[in-house]
Amino acid sequence: MDSIQKSFAAIDKGGRLQKQIAEQKKRVVMSKPVQSFLREANEVTEDMIDRGLSKLYEFKKEREHCETCPGLENCPNMMQGYRPSVYVERGSLELTYSKCPLKLDDEEKKLQQGLIQSFYIPKDVLEATFDLIEQDSDRTKAITEAIKFASTAQPGEDGHGLYLHGKFGVGKSYLLGAIANDLKESRIQSALIYTPDFFREMKAAIGDGTFQEKLEAVRKVPVLMLDDIGAETTTAWTRDEILGPIMQYRMSERLPTVFTSNYDYDELEVQLSYSDKGGTEELKAKRIMERIKHFTTLVEVKGKNRRS
């Protein structure tokens, strides 16, 4: 039986195919990406190049796409957002792919966006930062406590949170947004929730079968922020089936919760004691308030009404 080389030579009598391969090899080897690799990897032999020519071609093509990058969404590479590198292993050329800077930036942005969950929170609150908060003597203590919490929060290790109370429009919700954005810089996930609307949604969730899923998500978020607690019409169900289980879980898992309210501790306890069944249920309200008091610092937010 003739050797493979003889069979190949019989087919390629004029040597045209050999010339094409040689020209292709020259174009690949002389390309900017491959030349850069060869300068750094001086142990590469001619035989290794011949055997790894297809990999060098792939490397060249993909890297040239990167040099004229059309953006991540239009990336023409085989794996969008990845670029190849060549390395030598056991006398052969091998390819590996890694994320390009645009891919890394995109993932970072998505991660950052996912670090703040929000439910029914206005856009201006979600964009709040401590740098943008209007400083005044009435709110100095509240701002200081908010910054302290945001910079020292350790979900899972320290479950202590804040209870910000004050009159309508003094900027309590805005402080929550600033805390959330500060936590984001430390890669700590938080959830901002407007409590009255959340309780209404949880009632509707019973009908669509998503109640337990939503409750679990809120219970387990590293830092939970319940805005305007007490503003809703209290029912025994929202108190005992939503707020109670949330606080019990977070207390046991040392997950901090930040509240805002128009009521202080004692006033909120009165609100929570009301029952839609008629009368009051002071003991049940007291149990929840003991958890809130034990795991939050009471801070009054003073100042003028900034919404008027």
Side-chain angles (χ1 to χ4, degrees):
M1 180 180 291
D2 291 339
S3 67
I4 293 175
Q5 288 85 354
K6 287 183 179 180
S7 298
F8 181 79
I11 296 170
D12 188 33
K13 292 181 179 179
R16 292 179 61 189
L17 187 57
Q18 287 285 7
K19 290 178 182 178
Q20 289 176 353
I21 292 174
E23 290 173 0
Q24 175 74 352
K25 175 182 175 181
K26 182 177 179 181
R27 284 194 295 269
V28 169
V29 171
M30 296 306 296
S31 67
K32 183 178 176 182
V34 174
Q35 281 291 301
S36 178
F37 160 68
L38 292 175
R39 282 194 295 269
E40 296 176 4
N42 50 25
E43 75 271 30
V44 177
T45 65
E46 196 71 23
D47 179 59
M48 290 163 60
I49 291 175
D50 288 337
R51 288 185 287 112
L53 190 60
S54 62
K55 292 175 182 177
L56 287 177
Y57 174 74
E58 182 179 328
F59 170 70
K60 165 189 175 294
K61 182 181 69 172
E62 301 278 274
R63 276 304 182 99
E64 286 176 345
H65 288 162
C66 293
E67 290 177 5
T68 57
C69 177
L72 184 60
E73 291 184 359
N74 299 311
C75 175
N77 283 359
M78 288 189 297
M79 292 191 293
Q80 193 175 62
Y82 287 77
R83 61 184 181 182
S85 297
V86 187
Y87 65 98
V88 177
E89 183 174 299
R90 297 178 182 179
S92 296
L93 299 181
E94 301 293 343
L95 276 180
T96 183
Y97 276 80
S98 59
K99 296 172 185 176
C100 73
L102 290 182
K103 178 72 171 176
L104 292 171
D105 287 346
D106 182 66
E107 290 184 348
E108 176 68 18
K109 287 177 183 177
K110 288 178 180 177
L111 173 64
Q112 291 288 317
Q113 290 168 356
L115 287 173
I116 299 180
Q117 302 173 32
S118 65
F119 302 88
Y120 326 108
I121 299 295
K123 184 179 178 180
D124 64 322
V125 171
L126 294 175
E127 295 176 346
T129 66
F130 287 119
D131 291 337
L132 297 176
I133 290 179
E134 182 182 342
Q135 302 286 334
D136 59 58
S137 57
D138 289 331
R139 298 197 298 174
T140 299
K141 177 176 173 55
I143 294 171
T144 300
E145 289 292 338
I147 292 173
K148 179 182 176 182
F149 170 79
S151 61
T152 60
Q154 293 181 298
E157 296 182 23
D158 183 358
H160 204 78
L162 292 176
Y163 187 95
L164 306 172
H165 73 98
K167 296 179 181 179
F168 178 83
V170 294
K172 302 184 297 295
S173 300
Y174 202 81
L175 280 174
L176 291 188
I179 291 172
N181 281 302
D182 211 63
L183 291 172
K184 182 174 71 173
E185 297 302 315
S186 302
R187 301 289 184 87
I188 297 176
Q189 186 181 27
S190 64
L192 280 75
I193 296 175
Y194 181 61
T195 310
D197 282 348
F198 172 67
F199 283 169
R200 282 191 285 272
E201 178 171 327
M202 291 300 288
K203 186 175 182 179
I206 296 176
D208 63 25
T210 61
F211 175 83
Q212 197 59 40
E213 177 186 347
K214 290 177 179 177
L215 182 65
E216 287 299 297
V218 172
R219 290 202 317 175
K220 294 180 178 181
V221 69
V223 177
L224 175 62
M225 304 189 198
L226 294 176
D227 188 30
D228 215 3
I229 190 169
E232 70 285 347
T233 300
T234 305
T235 68
W237 183 77
T238 56
R239 181 194 61 211
D240 301 337
E241 302 301 325
I242 301 178
L243 187 59
I246 287 173
M247 294 311 302
Q248 178 61 37
Y249 181 88
R250 299 187 67 77
M251 181 178 69
S252 63
E253 296 298 318
R254 297 181 181 179
L255 299 174
T257 306
V258 181
F259 300 86
T260 72
S261 182
N262 293 334
Y263 303 110
D264 62 19
Y265 283 154
D266 294 335
E267 292 167 336
L268 181 62
E269 184 172 329
V270 172
Q271 288 294 113
L272 293 176
S273 68
Y274 293 139
S275 172
D276 52 326
K277 300 176 182 178
T280 58
E281 296 178 311
E282 296 177 358
L283 183 58
K284 291 183 177 180
K286 187 175 290 294
R287 285 175 180 166
I288 290 179
M289 285 309 305
E290 283 303 312
R291 296 168 186 164
I292 294 175
K293 289 178 182 179
H294 187 71
F295 282 95
T296 60
T297 297
L298 183 68
V299 180
E300 184 177 7
V301 184
K302 301 178 181 179
K304 63 183 180 180
N305 185 340
R306 288 169 168 77
R307 297 183 187 176
S308 60

